[in-house]
Amino acid sequence: MSRTAEDTIKGFVYQFHKTAKQILVSDMDAEIALEGAIEDIDIKDVTGDITAIQCKYHESQGKFVPSLIYKAILQMALNFINNPNLKIKFILFIHTPDYITQKNRKLTQQEFDSALNSTQESIKKIAEQIPSTFPKANFIASVDIEFAPHFDELSEQLKKELGKIGINNSDVNTILYPNIINHVALISTQKDPASRNTTKKEVIDFLRKTNDIAISKWTLFLKSRDMILKAKRTQLLEGLKLNTRTRCFYFKERKIENINDEIVIFIRNYLDKYHFKALHTKTPTFVLECDFTTLCDIQYRLYQKKITANTGYIGNRFEEASFNREPLTINTSKSKADREFHVRLLMAPSDIKSINIRKNDDIFLISDNTPEEIDTQDVQIFLSGVESREELEYILSIRNTYEK
């Protein structure tokens, strides 16, 4: 990952931390919009007043200088103009390395005038949209500048708020903390504005109901990454020890880097660990988002590894009954079984509904969300946003490290 990409993700994750903390310190039924119509976080109280918060994280900046906020405050000014009938309090939540020496304060007229007169092209374009009749004094009075703590400090503040909820048997570090970050990230990235609204009550209800350990690109970016992966591995281990579970693995396209190149290795490693004995009677299913040519190629590569895959295709036509049939077993011994086929290999999205015919006990989704076509009733869903085969094999206890 490039430094620029890493800084971008860190900026988003920092905003998710502020959003999560803001939710937890809000009134229970306050309406909270993530990536709202006004700013990054819009909070409407019972009186209809709005607090609109914009987050900025400048970790590499040496110290605070007013030019860092010019664009942000001009954007706030436009939102002030576009919402004349709303009572809005604006907060610019900004981190720079010298935040400890700074004091929270109001925006000054000098800072606003300097922003309006900036010669930077991108800022000038915004300033040109602000009319000369703009009620400058009223706007300036509505803007607070809040100097924000370092990423790690904000993280600890969030964990402290999570500890106050008092959810029994739910560890803050490995369950509540990654889950609230992932939950906020999922809400924030919804395309429909209505889907980006929530309340403190809704978020706490979600946290009370979930006991899974959220793994996504957002939670794997956290400092507690190692702890989260290890906890997920421990959580899955007991279920993986059982021989009688019917399991399905669904690989979202491009979720794991070079998945088409890596899938044969993963399937072989999985079979060597969990599906080689006569007692292992439940044939696993592997679902990939791919085209027919790729499916056939993977089937052949598995064949070269002495692994027979049932794709359900007779020629170029998919037969659901053929896909879901049980394999014949030949030359069975206590320690080993030779089967007609070893895995089911399914192409998505065209054939995805076929996994709903034979109910799986466990579906492992290597994805950030559950595909709508999958029937989740009476099925244990494990959602995991791991980004490498090694990480996936680690949480499944196939290997002892996730390093390449």
Side-chain angles (χ1 to χ4, degrees):
M1 184 186 297
S2 69
R3 179 60 184 269
T4 301
E6 186 172 332
D7 287 346
T8 299
I9 292 177
K10 192 165 190 176
F12 279 123
V13 178
Y14 188 82
Q15 180 178 316
F16 297 154
H17 277 71
K18 172 60 176 174
T19 304
K21 183 188 173 188
Q22 200 65 46
I23 291 171
L24 295 179
V25 299
S26 295
D27 293 335
M28 193 63 76
D29 294 314
E31 298 176 20
I32 305 171
L34 283 54
E35 295 295 339
I38 303 173
E39 296 295 346
D40 297 328
I41 314 165
D42 297 342
I43 306 164
K44 183 188 290 186
D45 64 23
V46 291
T47 68
D49 292 349
I50 295 174
T51 300
I53 305 170
Q54 186 173 156
C55 300
K56 295 294 179 186
Y57 192 71
H58 296 284
E59 187 178 48
S60 59
Q61 182 74 28
K63 61 180 181 179
F64 174 80
V65 290
S67 59
L68 287 175
I69 66 172
Y70 288 172
K71 186 175 182 179
I73 61 177
L74 290 180
Q75 289 170 333
M76 288 179 173
L78 289 180
N79 288 326
F80 185 86
I81 293 168
N82 293 331
N83 296 277
N85 298 320
L86 297 178
K87 184 178 179 182
I88 305 172
K89 174 184 177 181
F90 292 94
I91 296 176
L92 180 55
F93 188 77
I94 180 170
H95 171 80
T96 53
D98 65 337
Y99 71 97
I100 294 177
T101 65
Q102 300 291 339
K103 292 184 179 179
N104 298 342
R105 57 178 174 78
K106 289 285 185 183
L107 174 69
T108 67
Q109 181 171 327
Q110 181 180 355
E111 286 170 330
F112 185 63
D113 288 341
S114 296
L116 286 173
N117 296 316
S118 173
T119 58
Q120 187 175 328
E121 196 61 35
S122 62
I123 298 176
K124 280 176 63 179
K125 288 180 179 179
I126 303 174
E128 288 167 358
Q129 301 174 55
I130 299 174
S132 58
T133 55
F134 178 68
K136 186 187 301 185
N138 291 344
F139 169 69
I140 291 172
S142 72
V143 181
D144 287 348
I145 299 176
E146 185 175 334
F147 289 93
H150 187 269
F151 196 110
D152 294 343
E153 186 178 340
L154 183 59
S155 171
E156 291 305 313
Q157 290 176 6
L158 173 57
K159 290 177 187 177
K160 187 173 292 186
E161 294 299 328
L162 287 166
K164 294 177 183 178
I165 299 174
I167 300 179
N168 294 331
N169 302 317
S170 197
D171 182 72
V172 169
N173 285 305
T174 60
I175 295 180
L176 297 183
Y177 174 50
N179 267 300
I180 197 170
I181 294 300
N182 197 55
H183 188 60
V184 165
L186 289 175
I187 296 174
S188 299
T189 53
Q190 294 297 309
K191 292 182 180 179
D192 179 14
S195 299
R196 299 199 296 270
N197 296 331
T198 192
T199 64
K200 177 179 179 177
K201 182 180 184 303
E202 288 175 354
V203 171
I204 291 179
D205 285 346
F206 162 77
L207 292 174
R208 289 189 191 282
K209 291 174 184 176
T210 186
N211 200 37
D212 194 17
I213 297 169
I215 293 184
S216 68
K217 71 176 179 181
W218 309 114
T219 61
L220 290 180
F221 194 82
L222 302 177
K223 193 173 183 180
S224 54
R225 171 196 180 97
D226 291 351
M227 186 187 300
I228 292 169
L229 285 170
K230 185 176 181 180
K232 186 72 171 182
R233 175 185 172 99
T234 302
Q235 186 182 57
L236 294 177
L237 185 58
E238 286 305 310
L240 289 167
K241 288 179 180 178
L242 300 175
N243 296 328
T244 56
R245 306 287 289 181
T246 304
R247 301 186 184 113
C248 172
F249 293 85
Y250 185 105
F251 291 86
K252 184 74 175 175
E253 186 180 19
R254 292 187 295 274
K255 186 59 190 174
I256 288 184
E257 188 178 359
N258 302 320
I259 183 55
N260 289 343
D261 296 331
E262 297 275 279
I263 189 61
V264 170
I265 299 172
F266 173 73
I267 291 175
R268 178 57 185 268
N269 291 345
Y270 176 84
L271 295 180
D272 286 347
K273 179 76 174 182
Y274 295 115
H275 194 67
F276 64 93
K277 296 180 180 178
L279 291 174
H280 299 157
T281 58
K282 303 295 185 180
T283 306
T285 299
F286 299 87
V287 185
L288 289 101
E289 293 184 352
C290 65
D291 56 28
F292 183 66
T293 300
T294 301
L295 184 78
C296 292
D297 177 64
I298 292 171
Q299 184 185 33
Y300 179 70
R301 286 161 50 204
L302 286 167
Y303 169 77
Q304 290 180 306
K305 294 282 188 179
K306 302 188 185 311
I307 299 169
T308 304
N310 173 17
T311 65
Y313 276 86
I314 310 298
N316 62 357
R317 294 188 180 184
F318 181 76
E319 292 291 339
E320 197 168 74
S322 178
F323 177 78
N324 283 309
R325 66 189 173 87
E326 294 298 330
L328 297 173
T329 304
I330 313 158
N331 300 328
T332 302
S333 68
K334 289 184 178 180
S335 61
K336 189 176 181 182
D338 189 7
R339 299 178 173 90
E340 177 191 6
F341 58 85
H342 307 93
V343 299
R344 292 184 178 90
L345 188 64
L346 190 67
M347 178 171 62
S350 61
D351 307 324
I352 185 60
K353 290 186 179 180
S354 296
I355 68 169
N356 298 326
I357 303 302
R358 315 170 47 257
K359 276 285 186 177
N360 287 277
D361 295 307
D362 306 317
I363 298 181
F364 296 86
L365 298 168
I366 295 80
S367 169
D368 290 328
N369 50 56
T370 304
E372 294 179 358
E373 299 88 348
I374 294 179
D375 178 6
T376 60
Q377 186 176 26
D378 304 323
V379 178
Q380 182 72 52
I381 300 293
F382 297 98
L383 196 63
S384 179
V386 292
E387 297 182 337
S388 72
R389 173 179 59 82
E390 290 81 7
E391 287 174 342
L392 180 58
E393 291 181 352
Y394 175 75
I395 65 172
L396 294 173
S397 295
I398 294 173
R399 57 187 290 152
N400 293 324
T401 177
Y402 55 84
E403 302 297 336
K404 291 185 178 182

